[in-house]
Coordinates of all heavy atoms in Angstrom, one line a residue:
A1 N 1.2 -36.7 6.3 CA 2.3 -35.8 6.8 C 3.1 -35.2 5.6 O 3.4 -34.0 5.6 CB 3.2 -36.6 7.6
E2 N 3.3 -36.0 4.6 CA 4.1 -35.5 3.4 C 3.3 -34.4 2.7 O 3.9 -33.3 2.4 CB 4.3 -36.6 2.4 CG 5.1 -36.2 1.2 CD 5.2 -37.3 0.2 OE1 4.6 -38.3 0.3 OE2 6.0 -37.1 -0.8
K3 N 1.9 -34.5 2.5 CA 1.1 -33.5 1.9 C 1.2 -32.2 2.7 O 1.3 -31.1 2.1 CB -0.3 -34.0 1.8 CG -0.5 -35.1 0.8 CD -2.0 -35.5 0.7 CE -2.1 -36.7 -0.3 NZ -3.6 -37.1 -0.3
C4 N 1.1 -32.3 4.0 CA 1.1 -31.1 4.8 C 2.5 -30.4 4.8 O 2.5 -29.2 4.7 CB 0.8 -31.4 6.3 SG -1.0 -31.9 6.5
L5 N 3.5 -31.1 4.8 CA 4.9 -30.6 4.8 C 5.2 -29.9 3.4 O 5.8 -28.9 3.3 CB 6.0 -31.6 5.1 CG 5.9 -32.1 6.6 CD1 6.9 -33.2 6.7 CD2 6.2 -31.0 7.6
I6 N 4.7 -30.6 2.3 CA 4.8 -29.9 1.0 C 4.0 -28.7 0.9 O 4.5 -27.6 0.4 CB 4.4 -31.0 -0.1 CG1 5.4 -32.1 -0.2 CG2 4.3 -30.3 -1.4 CD1 5.0 -33.2 -1.1
R7 N 2.8 -28.7 1.5 CA 2.0 -27.4 1.5 C 2.7 -26.3 2.3 O 2.6 -25.1 1.9 CB 0.6 -27.7 2.0 CG -0.2 -28.7 1.1 CD -1.6 -28.7 1.4 NE -2.4 -27.4 1.1 CZ -3.6 -27.3 1.1 NH1 -4.5 -28.3 1.5 NH2 -4.2 -26.1 0.8
S8 N 3.3 -26.7 3.4 CA 4.1 -25.8 4.2 C 5.2 -25.1 3.4 O 5.4 -23.9 3.4 CB 4.6 -26.4 5.4 OG 5.5 -25.6 6.1
R9 N 5.8 -25.9 2.6 CA 6.9 -25.4 1.7 C 6.4 -24.5 0.6 O 7.0 -23.5 0.3 CB 7.6 -26.7 1.0 CG 8.8 -26.2 0.1 CD 9.1 -27.4 -0.8 NE 8.0 -27.7 -1.7 CZ 7.9 -28.8 -2.5 NH1 8.9 -29.7 -2.4 NH2 6.9 -29.0 -3.2
N10 N 5.3 -24.9 0.0 CA 4.7 -24.1 -1.1 C 4.2 -22.7 -0.7 O 4.1 -21.8 -1.5 CB 3.6 -24.9 -1.8 CG 4.1 -26.1 -2.5 OD1 5.2 -26.2 -2.9 ND2 3.2 -27.1 -2.8
V11 N 3.8 -22.6 0.6 CA 3.3 -21.3 1.0 C 4.4 -20.2 0.9 O 4.2 -19.1 0.4 CB 2.7 -21.3 2.4 CG1 2.4 -19.9 2.9 CG2 1.5 -22.2 2.4
L12 N 5.6 -20.6 1.4 CA 6.8 -19.7 1.4 C 8.0 -20.5 0.9 O 8.8 -21.0 1.8 CB 7.0 -19.1 2.7 CG 6.1 -18.0 3.2 CD1 6.4 -17.6 4.6 CD2 6.2 -16.8 2.3
P13 N 8.2 -20.7 -0.4 CA 9.3 -21.5 -0.8 C 10.7 -20.9 -0.6 O 11.7 -21.6 -0.8 CB 9.0 -21.7 -2.3 CG 8.1 -20.5 -2.7 CD 7.3 -20.2 -1.5
I14 N 10.8 -19.7 -0.2 CA 12.0 -19.1 0.1 C 12.6 -19.6 1.4 O 13.9 -19.5 1.6 CB 11.9 -17.5 0.1 CG1 13.3 -16.9 0.1 CG2 11.2 -17.1 1.3 CD1 14.0 -17.1 -1.2
R15 N 11.8 -20.1 2.3 CA 12.2 -20.6 3.6 C 13.0 -21.9 3.4 O 12.4 -22.9 3.0 CB 11.1 -20.7 4.6 CG 10.3 -19.4 4.8 CD 11.0 -18.5 5.7 NE 10.3 -17.2 5.9 CZ 9.4 -17.0 6.8 NH1 9.0 -18.0 7.5 NH2 8.8 -15.9 6.8
I16 N 14.2 -21.9 3.8 CA 15.0 -23.2 3.6 C 14.6 -24.2 4.7 O 14.8 -25.4 4.4 CB 16.6 -22.7 3.8 CG1 17.0 -21.9 2.6 CG2 17.4 -24.0 3.9 CD1 18.4 -21.5 2.6
Y17 N 14.1 -23.8 5.8 CA 13.7 -24.7 6.8 C 12.7 -25.8 6.3 O 12.8 -27.0 6.7 CB 13.1 -24.0 8.0 CG 12.9 -24.9 9.2 CD1 13.9 -25.4 10.0 CD2 11.6 -25.3 9.5 CE1 13.7 -26.3 11.1 CE2 11.3 -26.1 10.6 CZ 12.4 -26.6 11.4 OH 12.1 -27.5 12.4
S18 N 11.8 -25.4 5.4 CA 10.8 -26.3 4.9 C 11.6 -27.5 4.2 O 11.1 -28.7 4.3 CB 9.9 -25.6 3.9 OG 9.2 -24.6 4.6
Y19 N 12.5 -27.1 3.4 CA 13.3 -28.2 2.6 C 14.1 -29.0 3.6 O 14.3 -30.2 3.3 CB 14.2 -27.5 1.6 CG 13.5 -26.7 0.6 CD1 13.4 -25.3 0.8 CD2 12.9 -27.3 -0.5 CE1 12.7 -24.5 -0.1 CE2 12.2 -26.5 -1.5 CZ 12.1 -25.1 -1.2 OH 11.4 -24.3 -2.2
Y20 N 14.6 -28.5 4.6 CA 15.3 -29.2 5.7 C 14.4 -30.2 6.3 O 14.9 -31.4 6.5 CB 15.9 -28.2 6.7 CG 16.5 -28.9 7.9 CD1 17.7 -29.6 7.9 CD2 15.8 -28.8 9.1 CE1 18.2 -30.2 9.0 CE2 16.4 -29.4 10.3 CZ 17.5 -30.1 10.2 OH 18.1 -30.6 11.3
V21 N 13.2 -29.9 6.7 CA 12.3 -30.8 7.3 C 12.0 -31.9 6.4 O 11.8 -33.1 6.7 CB 11.0 -30.1 7.8 CG1 10.0 -31.1 8.3 CG2 11.4 -29.1 8.9
L22 N 11.7 -31.6 5.1 CA 11.4 -32.6 4.1 C 12.5 -33.6 3.9 O 12.3 -34.8 3.6 CB 11.0 -32.0 2.8 CG 9.5 -31.4 2.7 CD1 9.3 -30.5 1.5 CD2 8.5 -32.5 2.7
T23 N 13.8 -33.0 3.9 CA 14.9 -33.9 3.8 C 15.0 -35.0 4.9 O 15.2 -36.1 4.7 CB 16.3 -33.0 3.9 OG1 16.2 -32.1 2.8 CG2 17.5 -34.0 3.7
K24 N 14.7 -34.5 6.1 CA 14.6 -35.4 7.3 C 13.5 -36.4 7.1 O 13.6 -37.6 7.5 CB 14.5 -34.6 8.6 CG 15.8 -33.8 9.0 CD 15.5 -33.0 10.2 CE 15.3 -33.8 11.4 NZ 15.2 -33.0 12.6
F25 N 12.3 -35.9 6.6 CA 11.2 -36.8 6.5 C 11.5 -37.9 5.5 O 11.2 -39.1 5.8 CB 10.0 -35.9 6.0 CG 8.8 -36.7 5.7 CD1 7.9 -37.1 6.8 CD2 8.4 -37.1 4.4 CE1 6.8 -37.9 6.5 CE2 7.3 -37.8 4.1 CZ 6.5 -38.3 5.1
Y26 N 12.1 -37.6 4.4 CA 12.3 -38.6 3.3 C 13.5 -39.5 3.7 O 13.7 -40.6 3.2 CB 12.7 -38.0 2.0 CG 11.5 -37.3 1.4 CD1 11.5 -35.9 1.0 CD2 10.3 -38.0 1.2 CE1 10.4 -35.3 0.4 CE2 9.2 -37.3 0.7 CZ 9.3 -36.0 0.2 OH 8.1 -35.4 -0.3
A27 N 14.3 -39.1 4.7 CA 15.3 -39.9 5.3 C 14.9 -40.9 6.4 O 15.6 -41.8 6.7 CB 16.5 -39.0 5.8

């Protein structure tokens, strides 16, 4: 799951939602 969410972030790093999801994931 972490790998997929990081890849989602890397495709479009300008999208803040990706960082938001990762914050919830690591929490």
Side-chain angles (χ1 to χ4, degrees):
E2 181 184 12
K3 288 179 181 178
C4 290
L5 293 175
I6 289 173
R7 295 192 71 172
S8 173
R9 178 199 65 191
N10 290 339
V11 173
L12 285 175
I14 194 65
R15 301 282 177 86
I16 292 177
Y17 186 73
S18 299
Y19 301 97
Y20 170 70
V21 175
L22 280 168
T23 303
K24 292 176 64 178
F25 176 79
Y26 292 127

